[in-house]
Amino acid sequence: MKIGVFICHCGTNISATVDVEKVAQVTSKLAKVHFSTTYLYMCSNPGQELIKKAIKEKGLDRIVVCSCSPSLHEKTFRKCAEEAGINPYLVEIANIREHCSWVHRDKKEATLKAIDIVRLAVAKVSRDKPLVKTYVPIEKRVLIIGGGISGIQSAIDIAFAKYPVTIVERESSIGGRMARFDKTFPTLDCAACILTPKMVTVSQSQYVTIYTCSEIEEVSGHVGDFKVKIRKRARSVDINKCTGCGACYAKCPVKVSAKFDMNLGLRKAIYVPFPQAVPNVPVIDRQNCLWFSAKNASGGTKKACGLCKKICNFGAIDYDMQDEIIEEKFGAIIVATGFTQFDHSVYGEYGYGKYKDVVTGLHFERMASSSGPTGGKIIRPSDGKEARDVVFIQCVGSRDEQKGVPYCSRICCMYTAKHALLLKEHNKDAQAYVFYIDIRAAGKNYEEFVKKVQDEYGAIYLRGRVSRIFEKGGKIIVRGADTLSGAQIEIKADLVVLATGLIARPETVKLAQMLHIPYDQNRLFTEAHPKLAPVETVTSGIFLTGACQSPKDIPDSVATASAASVKALGLLLQDKLEKEPLIAKVDRNLCSGCRACVVACPFNAIDMKEIEDRALKCKRDVAEVVEGVCTGCGNCTVVCRMSAIDIEGFSNRQIMEEIEAL
Amino acid sequence: MINPRTQELKNSRAESWEPKIAAFLCNWCSYAGADLAGTSRREYPPNIRIIRLPCSGRVNPLFVLKCLMDGADGVLIAGCHTGDCHYSEGNYYARRRFAILKKLFEFLGIDPRRFQMAWVSASEGDKWVKVVKELVEEIKKAGPILAKS
């Protein structure tokens, strides 16, 4: 056995705190190590050439690369070794950057630790076995969770490449948050005008299936072969029969406040959330529908309504519709679940959410919309009068570690500027006051837009926080400080608009656990690498787009959506999928057939198989690993009394060898 | 052949003694969390030696025993938070095994401080630093393992 040790300086990232020459010198004396050298950037082309040359010239048969985390360059060096003619699984990475040089200051200590880390890796590599990659077939379909602008864009891109794609949307129409916006910054395009054509495109594509009123129930399997259970909630209206004529909701006698319009307007118990809804098919809100409340009332004495069913010429209303569970297979999953608004009722200074005339940006958005509940008038929700003096407060929930979230929500500065502009456009006499901490307008034409709002639309920007909001004489009094002039300010406002931050949806944790993807302390999904893999997750075959990963504006959401669909398409374009061979393997001679591993396996990846035992001259059952299903977690190895089952690449012998080298 | 670690310990003993701790980290959460501590340049004591495993459920109690027998002064198992396991339930198995093993160690008279478990997610670089710092302090209080046996 001839082991080669290659130590990377990583510029000065490693060599500044680790004496790499000393590491090379000490490790070259380790048993079985035949050759040891250092290089400035081992992952660079010349670095890889150096490794290949050494493998060939020195006759090395396995290598240890001492560099950054294996999550970054393990693949690079495996490929490099393969090109030099040795099995790619005879390569180990000693992580002396993230786990050593970057976390220690003392050069002596760090060098000693680095030597130890390399010794462990050498011990492990000495027990490595050559492995062969396996291949699994791919289900050539993509699942998109969430039908907002991100999900829609992803679906369009995938359908354009002629691959089938399914959108699962919780609400009764796709469109998401963007469908509720009036205009978009900084170009002031009408949101509906640019979104609805896309909604129509997806709905008309033969490659796109849309499940609305639907949620993900269960996910199992792995990349190339995800098995997904989708719960399609009872819509009570048959999508195939309905023509969207609207007779039912014209006739419906029940009026309730519309969630889509931030409860500023009313809708019927059978309704489409907004006129451009896709599919343009109503849904019955069973909580408020008279037919259902009569049916659920004791004894059924109340007369059921049933008007919508009577009026419908197409027999589309189906009161008996039940939830449906659909089971489908997908090769890749794109998560586009978006965000929700921060709940400002935790802030006492803003009135704990009890003043009607203190609203959020999304309320303002609905009021500004000409198809919205106020017909495009900016009003005071308390008395319906047109608002003249409007105070906007930024960073509500954002950048507040105590009560909110520590991060900046990125879009609030811009949407507030847009609101200030829209206010003036809707009412020439109106005056906007904006309380801000910092203005963050990093984006193409963003800064110019804010400047325009200040200069041309006369919005008054006040740097400071609001200390109190209270009602007095029918006005909302906003008391705050202007830190630039040092003055106390009191504004008698008609309306206060809070720029509430973007936060993760409450159900993200449940979804993350179903998909086995990580999330951070703010419950936003975590990307595989913040810079180099921003739309991937560590679970292969699952991609992220839009605000479920971090707050994003529309251009960024669309960009990540296209990026995620390219990544998904890249997978689907493979004939078959390469699978890491780091999975469980059974030694039949040792297996006693006790089935402990079968029970312990979280993936049902172990079956029992009858074999002919020639030595014992009998038939007996042994465990057999289903290669396509095994994920290589190694739980089975611990329960095996005979040590008959082991994980390739993380075998008992390898780990024991590492421990001995401690 | 005498274990180099044992030799080292015999040579050093008391005054310049620094604990050596073996840590089994799951690949998906804790190893990535330790990586994040690196990328955020958070400093922590150099006493820890990390062994990367696919899952905390891969940790065989034998590994822990072997570490302590071979002269590690302490052993840490770190995995994903409950419910967040990349393999659904590996960390639940790990947690149960840990509980039993800890009881066994108590029975055997091994200082329970020597064997600890932590949940560190991929975004918790700071938590990883805290876990290591506290662990090193605890093990320092517990003293060298061979000196007591």
Side-chain angles (χ1 to χ4, degrees):
Chain A
M1 189 179 292
K2 288 180 176 177
I3 300 171
V5 177
F6 299 89
I7 301 142
C8 179
H9 294 233
C10 195
T12 55
N13 279 311
I14 292 171
S15 59
T17 29
V18 171
D19 183 348
V20 283
E21 296 304 335
K22 186 164 181 215
V23 175
Q25 186 213 328
V26 173
T27 52
S28 67
K29 298 203 179 78
L30 291 172
K32 294 171 190 164
V33 173
H34 185 69
F35 176 71
S36 174
T37 189
T38 71
Y39 187 70
L40 198 55
Y41 288 105
M42 210 54 96
C43 59
S44 68
N45 249 340
Q48 293 191 44
E49 286 306 320
L50 180 147
I51 296 176
K52 287 180 201 165
K53 201 168 148 225
I55 291 173
K56 282 176 190 150
E57 285 179 2
K58 310 276 176 189
L60 305 174
D61 53 10
R62 45 195 78 202
I63 61 167
V64 171
V65 183
C66 316
S67 57
C68 50
S69 171
S71 64
L72 287 167
H73 279 306
E74 189 174 57
K75 277 199 178 120
T76 315
F77 293 118
R78 285 205 164 144
K79 193 159 165 273
C80 168
E82 196 173 16
E83 282 165 8
I86 61 175
N87 186 285
Y89 294 94
L90 300 177
V91 175
E92 289 296 334
I93 306 290
N95 184 351
I96 58 168
R97 193 179 76 176
E98 279 84 346
H99 290 183
C100 188
S101 73
W102 275 353
V103 289
H104 306 308
R105 303 273 182 276
D106 187 289
K107 195 156 184 173
K108 194 170 153 239
E109 276 179 347
T111 307
L112 283 175
K113 183 176 174 184
I115 293 169
D116 273 5
I117 294 174
V118 179
R119 201 165 63 221
L120 255 64
V122 168
K124 191 179 179 202
V125 85
S126 71
R127 293 289 187 183
D128 273 2
K129 275 193 278 179
L131 303 172
V132 184
K133 278 189 182 136
T134 53
Y135 293 90
V136 289
I138 308 178
E139 194 69 38
K140 305 225 168 190
R141 296 148 49 78
V142 181
L143 169 69
I144 297 172
I145 307 174
I149 179 62
S150 299
I152 292 171
Q153 183 62 44
S154 286
I156 290 175
D157 292 340
I158 291 162
F160 184 71
K162 301 197 165 117
Y163 279 99
V165 51
T166 300
I167 299 177
V168 171
E169 167 60 45
R170 169 200 304 268
E171 302 297 333
S172 66
S173 164
I174 58 168
R177 297 272 161 181
M178 191 177 166
R180 294 158 91 164
F181 300 161
D182 176 41
K183 300 258 177 359
T184 57
F185 59 78
T187 49
L188 297 178
D189 288 302
C190 143
C193 315
I194 54 175
L195 174 67
T196 42
K198 281 190 186 284
M199 288 163 67
V200 174
T201 310
V202 275
S203 72
Q204 288 177 346
S205 167
Q206 56 170 314
Y207 297 101
V208 183
T209 312
I210 301 172
Y211 293 130
T212 44
C213 298
S214 300
E215 274 166 71
I216 304 297
E217 189 93 346
E218 203 184 301
V219 180
S220 60
H222 49 82
V223 56
D225 184 33
F226 289 108
K227 295 173 195 74
V228 182
K229 273 189 195 163
I230 300 160
R231 175 180 290 271
K232 221 174 147 189
R233 290 196 310 275
R235 190 186 196 103
S236 315
V237 179
D238 190 329
I239 281 197
N240 299 321
K241 288 182 186 163
C242 176
T243 61
C245 70
C248 51
Y249 50 82
K251 206 76 184 167
C252 178
V254 184
K255 279 183 184 169
V256 287
S257 58
K259 193 180 126 205
F260 185 85
D261 288 330
M262 302 302 291
N263 299 330
L264 290 167
L266 298 172
R267 63 158 170 82
K268 300 295 182 67
I270 182 166
Y271 68 104
V272 283
F274 55 105
Q276 306 92 332
V278 168
N280 188 14
V281 174
V283 55
I284 293 182
D285 164 13
R286 291 191 173 183
Q287 246 95 52
N288 292 304
C289 171
L290 290 180
W291 198 91
F292 283 98
S293 51
K295 194 184 138 205
N296 294 338
S298 55
T301 45
K302 269 170 95 178
K303 196 177 170 288
C305 165
L307 272 179
C308 50
K309 190 167 182 156
K310 267 177 229 159
I311 199 84
C312 182
N313 286 329
F314 309 95
I317 310 287
D318 178 4
Y319 295 130
D320 301 322
M321 197 182 270
Q322 298 291 322
D323 286 10
E324 199 184 326
I325 302 285
I326 303 164
E327 279 191 59
E328 282 186 20
K329 281 185 171 185
F330 299 96
I333 298 176
I334 295 176
V335 185
T337 49
F339 65 95
T340 190
Q341 269 189 304
F342 181 81
D343 175 15
H344 64 270
S345 66
V346 298
Y347 286 108
E349 59 267 43
Y350 304 148
Y352 293 113
K354 66 184 177 198
Y355 300 130
K356 270 190 164 178
D357 295 332
V358 179
V359 298
T360 70
L362 209 47
H363 288 89
F364 188 92
E365 209 70 61
R366 289 315 296 152
M367 287 198 270
S369 168
S370 51
S371 62
T374 60
K377 271 197 171 160
I378 310 299
I379 57 149
R380 294 159 48 89
S382 60
D383 53 16
K385 283 187 193 145
E386 198 153 0
R388 219 177 68 88
D389 295 310
V390 181
V391 173
F392 295 90
I393 302 173
Q394 293 197 172
C395 293
V396 178
S398 312
R399 305 173 70 194
D400 181 352
E401 283 177 35
Q402 260 73 46
K403 284 183 174 173
V405 289
Y407 56 80
C408 163
S409 290
R410 276 193 72 187
I411 65 166
C412 324
C413 286
M414 291 309 296
Y415 78 61
T416 299
K418 176 188 74 179
H419 288 167
L421 184 149
L422 291 178
L423 174 71
K424 199 79 177 172
E425 295 231 309
H426 285 255
N427 181 359
K428 286 277 167 271
D429 303 327
Q431 176 62 52
Y433 303 87
V434 181
F435 280 94
Y436 70 100
I437 305 179
D438 299 292
I439 297 175
R440 297 188 168 172
K444 198 173 180 180
N445 293 326
Y446 284 13
E447 182 64 30
E448 295 91 317
F449 181 77
V450 175
K451 195 113 185 44
K452 182 169 90 173
V453 172
Q454 292 172 338
D455 297 347
E456 292 172 29
Y457 288 82
I460 296 171
Y461 270 69
L462 300 158
R463 189 176 198 279
R465 293 225 75 140
V466 169
S467 56
R468 212 179 143 209
I469 291 178
F470 57 96
E471 230 165 359
K472 197 177 168 190
K475 289 263 184 182
I476 298 278
I477 312 295
V478 181
R479 205 175 267 169
D482 177 3
T483 54
L484 294 182
S485 69
Q488 281 289 325
I489 287 182
E490 203 171 279
I491 298 168
K492 289 193 183 75
D494 298 311
L495 184 69
V496 175
V497 182
L498 305 177
T500 47
L502 273 56
I503 57 166
R505 299 184 66 104
E507 56 292 340
T508 47
V509 172
K510 201 178 139 210
L511 187 63
Q513 292 177 351
M514 268 197 268
L515 295 167
H516 304 308
I517 57 174
Y519 55 91
D520 65 14
Q521 64 274 26
N522 303 313
R523 293 180 301 172
L524 296 163
F525 296 124
T526 310
E527 62 287 340
H529 190 280
K531 290 174 189 68
L532 304 176
V535 298
E536 289 106 313
T537 66
V538 290
T539 306
S540 62
I542 300 184
F543 307 100
L544 304 173
T545 158
C548 64
Q549 183 256 340
S550 73
K552 284 189 185 61
D553 54 15
I554 295 166
D556 285 0
S557 296
V558 171
T560 52
S562 290
S565 37
V566 167
K567 291 282 169 188
L569 283 171
L571 265 181
L572 301 196
L573 283 166
Q574 318 279 324
D575 288 333
K576 47 194 176 172
L577 211 58
E578 222 174 66
K579 196 165 181 272
E580 288 283 324
L582 308 175
I583 54 168
K585 204 179 170 194
V586 180
D587 184 339
R588 287 180 176 181
N589 293 324
L590 291 176
C591 179
S592 66
C594 72
R595 291 165 196 267
C597 55
V598 178
V599 179
C601 180
F603 302 95
N604 297 325
I606 305 173
D607 287 340
M608 296 307 287
K609 193 187 177 190
E610 196 181 67
I611 58 157
E612 181 86 40
D613 191 323
R614 286 192 186 144
L616 296 172
K617 292 197 179 70
C618 68
K619 284 183 177 171
R620 63 186 179 93
D621 281 351
V622 292
E624 193 180 60
V625 177
V626 186
E627 283 190 358
V629 184
C630 177
T631 57
C633 71
N635 206 16
C636 52
T637 60
V638 186
V639 298
C640 185
R641 297 165 175 93
M642 313 298 292
S643 290
I645 195 161
D646 212 345
I647 297 288
E648 303 272 33
F650 290 100
S651 66
N652 289 331
R653 294 195 76 170
Q654 284 176 296
I655 297 162
M656 284 298 191
E657 199 76 39
E658 278 187 87
I659 295 169
E660 278 176 11
L662 270 174
Chain B
M1 188 189 97
I2 189 158
N3 188 317
R5 167 77 186 131
T6 317
Q7 189 62 54
E8 189 189 316
L9 232 155
K10 276 185 180 161
N11 296 342
S12 60
R13 276 288 151 91
E15 70 269 25
S16 64
W17 175 76
E18 275 289 328
K20 198 167 253 193
I21 301 162
F24 295 99
L25 267 58
C26 86
N27 182 38
W28 305 98
C29 292
S30 303
Y31 195 89
D35 276 355
L36 181 63
T39 36
S40 356
R41 313 294 200 278
R42 295 292 314 267
E43 197 177 353
Y44 58 81
N47 308 62
I48 206 131
R49 298 291 172 270
I50 293 168
I51 296 176
R52 181 168 71 119
L53 295 177
C55 177
S56 52
R58 174 71 185 91
V59 181
N60 194 314
L62 279 176
F63 299 163
V64 181
L65 283 167
K66 175 87 175 160
C67 286
L68 295 174
M69 280 163 68
D70 277 8
D73 303 295
V75 180
L76 172 72
I77 299 175
C80 309
H81 286 269
T82 45
D84 296 353
C85 177
H86 184 76
Y87 304 104
S88 301
E89 48 199 54
N91 54 359
Y92 292 126
Y93 280 91
R95 188 169 63 175
R96 270 175 261 160
R97 284 172 194 144
F98 171 82
I100 295 169
L101 193 58
K102 189 122 179 161
K103 278 237 155 99
L104 176 71
F105 282 174
E106 267 170 48
F107 178 76
L108 291 174
I110 296 173
D111 194 324
R113 287 176 294 189
R114 296 195 187 282
F115 177 41
Q116 306 213 9
M117 193 161 197
W119 310 118
V120 180
S121 84
S123 61
E124 291 178 329
D126 288 352
K127 182 169 181 194
W128 169 249
V129 173
K130 195 168 153 260
V131 165
V132 175
K133 279 185 178 164
E134 284 174 6
L135 185 66
V136 171
E137 276 313 302
E138 291 251 293
I139 306 286
K140 274 187 178 163
K141 280 180 206 151
I145 194 157
L146 288 184
K148 289 197 174 176
S149 61

